[in-house]
Amino acid sequence: EAQVTQNPRYLITVTGKKLTVTCSQNMNHEYMSWYRQDPGLGLRQIYYSMNVEVTDKGDVPEGYKVSRKEKRNFPLILESPSPNQTSLYFCASSLSRLNEQFFGPGTRLTVL
Amino acid sequence: QKEVEQNSGPLSVPEGAIASLNCTYSDRGSQSFFWYRQYSGKSPELIMSIYSNGDKEDGRFTAQLNKASQYVSLLIRDSQPSDSATYLCAVNSASGGGADGLTFGKGTHLIIQP
């Protein structure tokens, strides 16, 4: 089954404790992206990747890192999480930047 | 700054009627247009994609694009209670610089009344 998977689905952590949210797709998509969704602010892009080893900042990249060492994986790293990073996070992938994006199930992160 | 505007609603429509959702966008270089449906706490699900001016129909859904007016709409015929959700308009652009990828509207909350 073609899909985007994310782990963990739920995470409660404390300020400053490094964490990684994994994202994997099995559709051989070149383009991958991370979004956060907050009430009243909608979906905002954090980082994106056009292909392996090619990543760039989105609208709200501060406090986040990403890497794209393999085509299928695009982990999101929070080196020192803060409470303002409490949000619902989605990973998405598509054939190219102009094609429809398919979303993972989401990761609900709470930083205390 | 690319912007995508939607009426937040709620838009209330009787079961069986046509629901009409609208979206305007600011970037004239936009090339790809999408409608996603999102249930509360769930991930966005692609409903329709449209790339050229005119109408595109898929089952009960019709997407309409007017690039001259920078306007895209979604019609849902024979609305069902299961169509109650938030509908997100998303626009992509070929223009470079800054953030890349989809720009989302904040969504329209649709309620289908049985």
Side-chain angles (χ1 to χ4, degrees), chain A residues 31 35 37 40-43 45 48 50 57-59 88 90 97-106 108, chain B residues 1 31-32 34 36 38 41-44 46 49 51 88 92-95 98-102 104-106:
Chain A
Y31 186 94
Y35 298 88
Q37 187 172 37
L41 297 177
L43 276 162
Q45 190 183 50
Y48 65 94
M50 296 271 205
K57 297 177 181 178
D59 292 310
L88 180 57
F90 292 106
R97 58 181 299 282
L98 290 179
N99 292 103
E100 57 270 17
Q101 292 185 19
F102 297 93
F103 283 77
R108 187 167 292 281
Chain B
Q1 181 77 7
Q31 295 188 332
S32 314
F34 308 97
Y36 287 84
Q38 187 177 27
K42 302 296 185 183
S43 61
L46 181 71
S49 58
Y51 299 89
L88 304 173
N92 209 331
S93 172
S95 55
D100 189 59
L102 292 175
F104 283 85
K106 292 181 181 178

Side-chain angles (χ1 to χ4, degrees), chain A residues 44-79:
Chain A
R44 294 177 293 167
Q45 190 183 50
I46 303 170
Y47 267 94
Y48 65 94
S49 170
M50 296 271 205
N51 214 324
V52 175
E53 302 292 0
V54 181
T55 64
D56 208 344
K57 297 177 181 178
D59 292 310
V60 288
E62 295 77 19
Y64 304 94
K65 285 176 57 177
V66 293
S67 68
R68 187 94 181 271
K69 293 184 171 58
E70 305 165 285
K71 197 172 188 177
R72 62 185 295 126
N73 296 324
F74 190 44
L76 179 69
I77 303 156
L78 285 72
E79 295 266 1

